[in-house]
Structures are given as structure tokens and as C-alpha cells.
Amino acid sequence: MDIRVSGHQVETGEALQGHVESRLSAIADKYFSRAISAHATFGRAPHDKFACDIVAHVMQGLVLKGRAEASDAHVAFDGAADKIEKQLRRYMRRIHDRHSQAAHALKEEEAAYTVFDSMDYEDEADAPDSPAIIAETKADIPVSSVSDAVMMMDLRNTPALLFKNTGTGRHNMVYRREDGTIGWVEPR
């Protein structure tokens, strides 16, 4: 597995890099022997803390993200790695419990987004109150059941996930509400 360690305005020494490589390799060996890559990024957080973001590409279509903050870079990494490991443990349990639906979770569709150019206004009073729209050029839309889509949303650590429902064949969306519950949007 390709493991990269980088620092954003933070020096990553050999001890920290070795700790990251050994911990991520152990996690990958435990759950997926053929993991693709992982990238740990360290940076400064508010109140003299360190932040660690981990993005792990475990297999085609499965991207895990974890973030933690602590007063020490090693502790911040361990917190983010614990989140990644917890996500993998849940995913593996789910695969073993519902093996028949695992094949559906890996099918994907591609979607392209339109990027809307922001207009330059000479006078700020003429500018609209709406924020600028920033769009991705390509996104994978998984084909899965609603429960598998919720699992993928948790694994990807995103607030929402657009997916194609295997039961209806239509595009649906699941999202995390402010109260912590999951919302499900299904078109008529």
C-alpha cells in the first residue's frame, strides 16, 4: 500500500512518519490485504492544536476519511486512525452479515457536474447575496440499497450521498440531519 505523510505548515519528522506508516499498514493488513493508498496530512488547528486528516483508498469505489485534533501530532493521528479502523470494522461486519448485497454496493455510475462561472461585478452593491457555486467535474454514483448508501456515506465521511436505488432504479439521496438522524430523499 502506498502511504504518504505530509505536513501543512507542520514539520513531519521520521518518528511521526514511521508511526503513521506502521499503524496504517497494520490496519490495511488486518482488513484489506490489497489496499490501494492512504494519505495522512498534518496541520495546525485552533488553540495550539494539531489536526490530522486521513484519506484512505481501500479498494475501487471505497474511500475512507478520518479527522482528529489534539495537542500532540501523534495523538491526533491516532484519533483519526481509530476512526478509519472503526469505519472498516463496521464495513467488514456489514459485508459478512449481508454478503448478497455487497455486490450491489460496488456498482457505480458516473455523473458530470456543470460548473457555473461567477460573474464579476464592478460594484459590490450589484452582486447577488447567493454564494459562488463550485462544482466537481466528475463524481461516482453508487448503485445500492438505502441501508448500504447510509453505510457508504459514513465510510466516506460526507454529509450527503447521491445513489441509484437498487429497489426502484431511481436516483435517491441520503443525508445527515443536524440532529444526527439520517434523512432520505426519494423522487416521486
Side-chain angles (χ1 to χ4, degrees):
M1 176 167 87
D2 178 34
I3 298 173
R4 288 180 286 160
V5 180
S6 60
H8 184 334
Q9 299 177 347
V10 172
E11 188 68 32
T12 58
E14 290 181 26
L16 181 59
Q17 290 179 3
H19 179 63
V20 169
E21 289 178 11
S22 64
R23 177 82 190 271
L24 290 179
S25 295
I27 291 171
D29 291 342
K30 184 175 180 180
Y31 294 102
F32 287 97
S33 59
R34 294 179 296 167
I36 299 171
S37 68
H39 187 184
T41 305
F42 293 90
R44 288 285 184 188
H47 308 294
D48 292 330
K49 290 186 177 183
F50 290 93
C52 177
D53 292 300
I54 301 174
V55 178
H57 297 271
V58 178
M59 54 189 263
Q60 187 67 29
L62 181 60
V63 178
L64 305 175
K65 296 178 182 177
R67 177 180 173 82
E69 294 179 1
S71 58
D72 182 51
H74 289 267
V75 177
F77 167 74
D78 287 335
D82 289 343
K83 290 179 183 179
I84 295 285
E85 190 167 12
K86 185 176 182 180
Q87 292 171 355
L88 277 172
R89 186 172 48 251
R90 285 181 179 170
Y91 180 73
M92 293 304 293
R93 187 178 329 130
R94 180 106 184 207
I95 285 177
H96 291 301
D97 290 347
R98 301 178 63 179
H99 184 67
S100 63
Q101 291 186 1
H104 297 295
L106 299 179
K107 292 181 184 175
E108 292 186 349
E109 217 179 74
E110 287 188 3
Y113 292 96
T114 303
V115 177
F116 298 96
D117 292 330
S118 62
M119 299 177 66
D120 292 330
Y121 295 95
E122 292 180 18
D123 187 14
E124 287 186 23
D126 295 337
D129 292 334
S130 61
I133 299 172
I134 301 172
E136 297 181 18
T137 57
K138 192 175 192 181
D140 295 325
I141 300 176
V143 179
S144 69
S145 65
V146 176
S147 60
D148 287 343
V150 171
M151 177 191 63
M152 284 188 274
M153 183 180 68
D154 287 339
L155 289 173
R156 294 178 180 183
N157 198 19
T158 59
L161 178 73
L162 178 70
F163 68 101
K164 190 170 183 179
N165 192 332
T166 56
T168 62
R170 300 180 75 181
H171 288 90
N172 291 188
M173 183 178 76
V174 291
Y175 63 96
R176 187 164 309 280
R177 297 168 47 112
E178 287 183 20
D179 61 359
T181 59
I182 302 294
W184 173 26
V185 179
E186 183 176 29
R188 295 181 189 221

